Amino acid sequence: MPIHKLKMSKSKILHDLITTKSIIKVGGAFDAMSAKLVELSGFDAVWAGSFAISATHGLPDASILTMTEFLNVTSNMNDSCQIPIIADCDTGFGGPSNVEHMVKKYEKAGIAAISIEDKVFPKQNSLLETGTHELLSEKDFVAKIISAKNAKQDPNFMIIARIEALIANLGIDEAIKRATAYEMAGADAIIIHSKKNTPDEIFEFTEKWNGTIPIVAIPTTYGSVTIDELISHKIKFVIFANHSLRASHLAMSKILDEIIQSTSLSGVNTKISSMEDIFRVQKMYDIKTQEIEIEEKLKKLGYID
Ligand code: SPV
Ligand code: MG
């Protein structure tokens, strides 16, 4: 009898990392190539963030793209790399029934985890100072978690509940109350998000909360926090949400400005990746190997000498 080597699912890979790693490092990406670069740099998982994906469509991070559009991008990212993908699913694209449909679709696509946040639809990016950050009632968000949990088939597929109470300036007690409710409803992890420039309120939350599910932090605004500090304050996942997008934006803007102001490309060629670099990441060299394999097969079948 042939022995089939079953590949471990990415949800299982992500789930196992919770016990084997002191902290899981998640790099933000916005398409297949940036996801691949996140993997090549040694991150444990990829964050398919709504901010970065919306921006690369030239659109605001304000619930504009549809679930299908996000899922298409996220699936491409998933296909391009071996590490698990954590999908930022905003508010879940509607009510509990929309969340149910979404969980089925994302799980079927091989995505390891989804995150839904407790804001009302349409949401706006959490770090937009002038943004409206209205929270959904705890009861209505718990209904979404119940729906997500009922819809998932794979026990390792993670439902991450994201708390926006600190973003909405509602304070630690509200954040703790919601975290407790979301854990009780079946969330597999909690994202506690903050827009402060120090990790103080995040650490106050992690000290006060008695929950047992993993806690996720997104230290975009409190970027001076160290990995060791996060670990010692019970953070299990750290998401570097948008740095690949912002790095690309800066690099592209600089080079394009230089090209338009120059009379030749001689100055820029050393400042950009080589064609070889891109050939490698897009697996261009696999084409030759495939051609050789096909040719050998065609020879065996007598089509060519
Ligand atoms: C994202 O990357 O889309 C996020 C994180 O949701 S934040 O931009 O900080 O809201
Ligand atoms: Mg987002």
Side-chain angles (χ1 to χ4, degrees):
M1 208 165 82
I3 299 164
H4 294 291
K5 207 173 162 198
L6 277 174
K7 246 178 127 181
M8 199 192 275
S9 72
K10 295 207 194 165
S11 55
K12 171 94 171 93
I13 294 171
L14 188 64
H15 195 264
D16 287 355
L17 288 174
I18 296 170
T19 39
T20 58
K21 289 228 131 186
S22 49
I23 193 161
I24 297 164
K25 293 184 182 173
V26 187
F30 46 86
D31 65 4
M33 191 179 82
S34 55
K36 188 75 202 165
L37 293 181
V38 165
E39 173 171 69
L40 290 170
S41 297
F43 285 87
D44 301 302
V46 176
W47 170 250
S50 66
F51 168 63
I53 295 173
S54 301
T56 54
H57 286 70
L59 290 169
D61 181 16
S63 303
I64 306 293
L65 289 174
T66 63
M67 186 209 79
T68 314
E69 288 170 309
F70 277 116
L71 179 56
N72 278 342
V73 175
T74 308
S75 292
N76 288 341
M77 290 160 74
N78 192 38
D79 292 346
S80 77
C81 50
Q82 308 292 317
I83 58 174
I85 311 284
I86 302 174
D88 173 7
C89 292
D90 284 346
T91 60
F93 308 102
S97 308
N98 305 78
V99 169
E100 181 191 343
H101 176 66
M102 177 199 88
V103 165
K104 285 182 182 160
K105 287 284 189 184
Y106 274 74
E107 189 183 308
K108 207 167 172 192
I111 309 305
I114 57 99
S115 153
I116 48 172
E117 62 194 65
D118 58 2
K119 290 223 287 259
V120 295
F121 177 94
K123 64 105 227 199
Q124 293 178 12
N125 183 275
S126 304
L127 303 182
L128 181 73
E129 266 187 44
T130 56
T132 319
H133 304 295
E134 196 191 329
L135 257 55
L136 199 65
S137 73
E138 183 187 301
K139 171 176 154 275
D140 286 349
F141 193 70
V142 162
K144 289 192 191 185
I145 298 172
I146 293 169
S147 186
K149 200 176 147 78
N150 287 345
K152 81 174 193 180
Q153 311 253 302
D154 168 7
N156 291 311
F157 181 82
M158 280 178 78
I159 314 266
I160 307 175
R162 167 165 159 179
I163 297 166
E164 293 279 294
L166 303 178
I167 297 291
N169 298 317
L170 294 176
I172 293 285
D173 291 347
E174 180 67 21
I176 288 180
K177 187 169 160 292
R178 282 177 178 256
T180 306
Y182 301 165
E183 178 171 26
M184 288 256 300
D188 301 300
I190 290 285
I191 294 181
I192 181 69
H193 202 13
S194 166
K195 58 186 177 187
K196 295 275 160 57
N197 58 13
T198 74
D200 296 355
E201 65 178 8
I202 293 290
F203 292 166
E204 197 186 334
F205 172 91
T206 60
E207 288 318 307
K208 281 191 181 163
W209 189 48
N210 291 323
T212 56
I213 54 176
I215 308 173
V216 185
I218 312 179
T220 308
T221 56
Y222 50 99
S224 59
V225 71
T226 66
I227 293 292
D228 284 344
E229 285 169 335
L230 292 170
I231 294 170
S232 65
H233 287 91
K234 305 187 226 166
I235 300 295
K236 197 69 213 186
F237 291 77
V238 55
I239 299 177
F240 302 99
N242 55 39
H243 302 81
S244 64
L245 174 81
R246 288 158 61 195
S248 323
H249 177 273
L250 178 65
M252 284 192 279
S253 306
K254 276 189 174 170
I255 291 296
L256 292 170
D257 282 351
E258 196 169 329
I259 293 173
I260 202 76
Q261 284 164 28
S262 308
T263 51
S264 85
L265 287 172
S266 49
V268 300
N269 274 337
T270 54
K271 296 175 191 156
I272 55 177
S273 299
S274 67
M275 291 281 289
E276 295 297 318
D277 292 332
I278 309 296
F279 284 157
R280 270 197 299 275
V281 81
Q282 72 183 155
K283 300 205 176 88
M284 202 62 214
Y285 296 108
D286 288 3
I287 297 290
K288 192 79 218 158
T289 317
Q290 282 163 13
E291 280 172 1
I292 293 167
E293 280 169 13
I294 291 169
E295 205 174 298
E296 277 168 9
K297 191 84 187 170
L298 286 172
K299 265 187 203 157
K300 267 194 195 153
L301 292 169
Y303 286 101
I304 46 178
D305 302 325

